[in-house]
């Protein structure tokens, strides 16, 4: 009899796990998502190191439309406008495995299309998990339930499922930084290399810019040290942390901007149940090194 695996959360980590596990005919895979549908909004850019690309290639990523991704060869480090050094990303590449940048939605779309409709259950928020012999009974807020052999929890940094399963309040902590993000179009005023990643460092802040496809779209992210607040003033933060040091970057921040406080985990979680596993940010959230949040999930 097939083993039934419940994956809680339809983000990058959960969908990657589903795609890999569904290749094994001994498993029945169901992805449970609390939202009513899978979000396929364009979203922001992500960077994928070769180790994560090697995993994605197992489910056909090498066949993705090459116009929807980019393969930068260098990470350039700047102190304000002055280039300090660069990291040759090409050293880690081969013909089929390359450092890749793309929009998060492009990856989600790819992962979704490899699964079947009957692998998804939407509008499913976990309310309770109970052990029944060697199985787990999941009760959902819509008064339905499911009996499964294993649970993989992959519902992000603010995972409520983790607290429900472990019977204790588990919350991340604010790390003292905010992320301000946007997708911008290439411009002649862009003073950095358009085919590579640029990391521009300031006191208590840095800006990262990189291409996310071959259509002229670039991801812009600014990380700034800032006290936790209920009402952040994005433009004030940008002016104080970035533009006061370099007014030439002003045009970068004219597109639509969004801000997120950055949270990290206090410590990794090992479940009280042998058949519960945590994945990605639900397992342990830490500040992404070299923008590898998505790669860490994979």
């Amino acid at each position: 009899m097939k083993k039934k695996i419940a994956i809680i959360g339809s983000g990058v980590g959960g969908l990657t796990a589903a795609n890999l596990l569904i290749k094994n005919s001994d498993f029945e895979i169901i992805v449970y998502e609390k939202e009513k549908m899978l979000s396929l909004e364009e979203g922001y850019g992500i960077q994928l190191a070769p180790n994560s690309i090697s995993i994605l290639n197992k489910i056909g990523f090498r066949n993705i439309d090459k116009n929807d991704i980019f393969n930068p060869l260098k990470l350039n480090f700047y102190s304000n406008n002055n280039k300090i050094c660069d990291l040759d990303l090409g050293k880690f590449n081969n013909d089929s495995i390359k450092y890749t940048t793309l929009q998060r939605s492009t990856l989600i779309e790819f992962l979704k299309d490899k699964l079947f409709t009957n692998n998804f259950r939407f509008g499913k928020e976990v309310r309770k998990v109970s052990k029944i012999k060697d199985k787990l009974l999941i009760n959902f807020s819509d008064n339905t339930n499911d009996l499964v052999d294993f649970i993989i929890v992959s519902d992000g940094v603010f995972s409520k499922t983790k607290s429900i399963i472990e019977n204790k309040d588990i919350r991340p902590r604010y790390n003292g930084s905010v992320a301000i993000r946007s997708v911008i179009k290439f411009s002649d005023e862009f003073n950095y290399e358009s085919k590579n990643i640029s990391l521009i460092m300031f006191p208590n802040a840095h800006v990262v810019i990189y291409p996310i496809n071959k259509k002229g779209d670039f991801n812009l992210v600014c990380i700034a040290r800032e006290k936790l607040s209920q009402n952040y003033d994005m433009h004030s933060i940008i002016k104080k942390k970035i533009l006061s040091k370099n007014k030439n970057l002003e045009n970068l921040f004219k597109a639509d901007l969004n801000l997120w406080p950055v949270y990290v985990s206090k410590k990794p979680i090992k479940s009280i149940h042998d058949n519960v596993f945590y994945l990605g940010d639900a397992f342990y959230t830490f500040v992404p090194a070299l923008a590898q949040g998505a790669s860490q999930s994979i």
Side-chain angles (χ1 to χ4, degrees), residues 126-272:
V126 177
R127 186 175 63 186
K128 184 180 179 181
V129 175
S130 308
K131 187 87 170 183
I132 298 180
K133 294 185 178 179
D134 60 344
K135 296 183 182 290
L136 296 161
L137 179 67
I138 310 173
N139 297 106
F140 298 98
S141 57
D142 62 357
N143 295 318
T144 61
N145 57 70
D146 208 349
L147 190 66
V148 302
D149 295 283
F150 299 95
I151 295 177
I152 296 174
V153 180
S154 185
D155 56 352
V157 57
F158 298 106
S159 173
K160 292 183 179 179
T161 309
K162 184 163 52 177
S163 296
I164 291 168
I165 291 176
E166 308 306 326
N167 295 315
K168 59 182 178 180
D169 189 17
I170 304 172
R171 300 183 187 184
R173 61 177 177 82
Y174 178 59
N175 91 320
S177 301
V178 296
I180 300 172
R181 307 192 72 167
S182 183
V183 172
I184 61 176
K185 284 289 185 179
F186 178 78
S187 167
D188 291 336
E189 298 175 349
F190 189 79
N191 295 320
Y192 302 93
E193 295 179 20
S194 62
K195 295 184 178 180
N196 292 310
I197 304 167
S198 297
L199 170 58
I200 310 157
M201 296 177 287
F202 301 93
N204 298 313
H206 67 267
V207 175
V208 183
I209 313 165
Y210 57 89
I212 52 177
N213 53 41
K214 294 182 177 68
K215 305 168 188 176
D217 295 318
F218 284 73
N219 189 68
L220 168 71
V221 59
C222 169
I223 305 294
R225 302 294 293 177
E226 191 72 19
K227 292 182 179 179
L228 186 62
S229 171
Q230 295 297 318
N231 298 293
Y232 290 105
D233 185 336
M234 285 190 291
H235 295 285
S236 175
I237 294 171
I238 293 166
K239 184 176 180 180
K240 179 175 62 175
K241 304 287 187 178
I242 304 297
L243 301 184
S244 64
K245 310 293 189 301
N246 188 337
K247 290 185 179 180
N248 293 329
L249 298 179
E250 188 172 7
N251 286 332
L252 294 177
F253 295 96
K254 288 185 176 180
D256 291 335
L257 301 169
N258 282 287
L259 178 148
W260 290 272
V262 178
Y263 284 82
V264 295
S265 298
K266 294 179 181 178
K267 61 181 180 179
I269 288 296
K270 183 180 185 302
S271 181
I272 58 176

